[in-house]
Amino acid sequence: MLSTKGYAAKAADAKLEPFEFERREVGANDVLIEIEYCGVCHTDIHQTRNEWGNSMFPMVPGHEIVGRVAKVGTDVTKFKEGDFAGVGCFVDSCGDCENCRQDVEQFCQVHCAQTYNSTEMDEKTPTYGGYSNRIVVKENYALKISDSENLAAIAPLLCAGITTYSPLRKFNIGEGSNVGIVGLGGLGHMGVKFAVSLGADVTVFSTSPSKEKDAYNLGAHHFVVSKNEEEMKSLAGQYDFILDCVSAAHDLSVYLNLLKLNGAMCLVGVPEKPAPVHAFALIQNNRSLAGSGIGGIKETQAMLDYCAENNITSDVEIIPIRNIEEAYERTIKGDVRYRFVIDMKSLNNGE
Ligand code: NAP
Ligand code: ZN
């Protein structure tokens, strides 16, 4: 077994603290990745605090992982030692069910082994995530990273990137689309970059007036403070597509009202509590309310390649792991520009 250092939450009300555990030896189809950076997703906060009621402890969070391949199994063909690789939100699936065959392994009908707060395919062995110095993963569930210059800014693509790229693609966003992005956080700022890059006219809806300048710098064309009821009403019926990236409870109908004929709103944010929706908000203009969950390996690779071609990375603030609790508090307050990324060297150096 491979002794591994990480940070774990031992209970929903406990702070994250150093934790040592073991990873499996590198099997024939596995790669060992020495982790260089791991992004901090709001999901890490929801789950370490058991806000969704499904937490398993001890929990080593982290599913925006990038690092260097340090060892490859005998049958591995996709990677060689020294390559850069990424791991996103899941590390295994059956590979054979209807959903896996359609490249949406995140919805494996047998079991999706999520990167943390989950189990391996035996549904017994806990999985531990990227707030750690190394990970062993099947080569088919690791992503290839071509640009080794910007590893820290690439890490958030593994979750925030694919989670926003996938629905924009599914809903055929492009030139002529009028798109709203709700909530300018880790997901939201990637949503803005992708929607702008795809050619859409993009409006950011934010509760934080202080983010206006950033929104324009990210490429958005309009910025609306969502608390401004008059302005929200004046935009009724104008949008083709709205991507809701908000992590806390909020009223969905104010955004549904902004959709034009056949417009769709897609939820990617997952607040702790369900949100009520009046049927009239959907019936008017034949609107749709949809959801989207991360993306499969094939689409995640396509997203990473798209980002490399179009110079898209995340805007990040790099932190040592000892500052993780402060980073969580700042993320909850919306005070992150726009993704915290942990420098995993800080773990080895005991910083
Ligand atoms: P984040 O960086 O904290 O961003 C969330 C943003 O929501 C904030 O920046 C803020 O934007 C807005 N917000 C926060 N509290 C609010 C409130 N009380 N009312 C209205 N707006 C509020 O979080 P994230 O990492 O982007 O994650 C966002 C959500 O997506 C989380 O719930 C996460 O679990 C979920 N998620 C889902 C998937 C998926 O597959 N569907 C994948 C990853 C994450 P403004 O300051 O601009 O208002
Ligand atoms: Zn995430």
Side-chain angles (χ1 to χ4, degrees), residues 41-44 63-64 89 159-160 163 187 294 339:
C41 180
H42 206 115
T43 296
D44 304 347
H63 57 206
E64 293 183 339
C89 298
C159 174
T163 302
L187 267 58
I294 47 174
R339 197 59 140 187

Side-chain angles (χ1 to χ4, degrees), residues 151-330:
L151 284 186
I154 286 170
L157 302 178
L158 276 306
C159 174
I162 184 60
T163 302
T164 50
Y165 177 88
S166 181
L168 290 166
R169 287 298 204 185
K170 266 188 297 249
F171 284 88
N172 293 316
I173 299 310
E175 265 170 50
S177 311
N178 204 4
V179 170
I181 304 286
V182 188
L184 196 59
L187 267 58
H189 95 290
M190 290 312 307
V192 172
K193 291 190 186 205
F194 286 129
V196 168
S197 157
L198 292 168
D201 191 81
V202 178
T203 304
V204 169
F205 295 95
S206 175
T207 58
S208 311
S210 62
K211 293 180 182 172
E212 177 165 7
K213 197 160 164 256
D214 291 344
Y216 289 122
N217 286 338
L218 291 163
H221 307 93
H222 318 276
F223 181 85
V224 176
V225 176
S226 49
K227 289 169 189 158
N228 184 337
E229 286 179 27
E230 284 306 305
E231 193 173 5
M232 292 297 283
K233 278 192 193 138
S234 76
L235 296 172
Q238 295 195 9
Y239 288 82
D240 298 292
F241 182 70
I242 295 178
L243 189 64
D244 185 330
C245 306
V246 175
S247 53
H250 59 290
D251 184 3
L252 300 186
S253 34
V254 295
Y255 298 104
L256 290 170
N257 287 335
L258 306 186
L259 295 173
K260 59 167 79 149
L261 183 66
N262 295 326
M265 166 146 151
C266 180
L267 306 180
V268 286
V270 191
E272 189 172 352
K273 297 205 170 63
V277 173
H278 200 291
F280 277 128
L282 291 168
I283 288 170
Q284 176 69 27
N285 281 355
N286 291 347
R287 293 164 176 143
S288 302
L289 180 58
S292 189
I294 47 174
I297 294 295
K298 192 174 166 192
E299 192 176 32
T300 305
Q301 190 64 59
M303 178 274 311
L304 287 168
D305 297 346
Y306 180 87
C307 288
E309 274 158 35
N310 293 282
N311 285 321
I312 295 174
T313 55
S314 175
D315 292 9
V316 300
E317 181 174 336
I318 299 174
I319 56 163
I321 193 150
R322 69 181 146 76
N323 290 358
I324 189 66
E325 289 289 335
E326 185 195 333
Y328 278 10
E329 290 312 318
R330 282 184 51 199

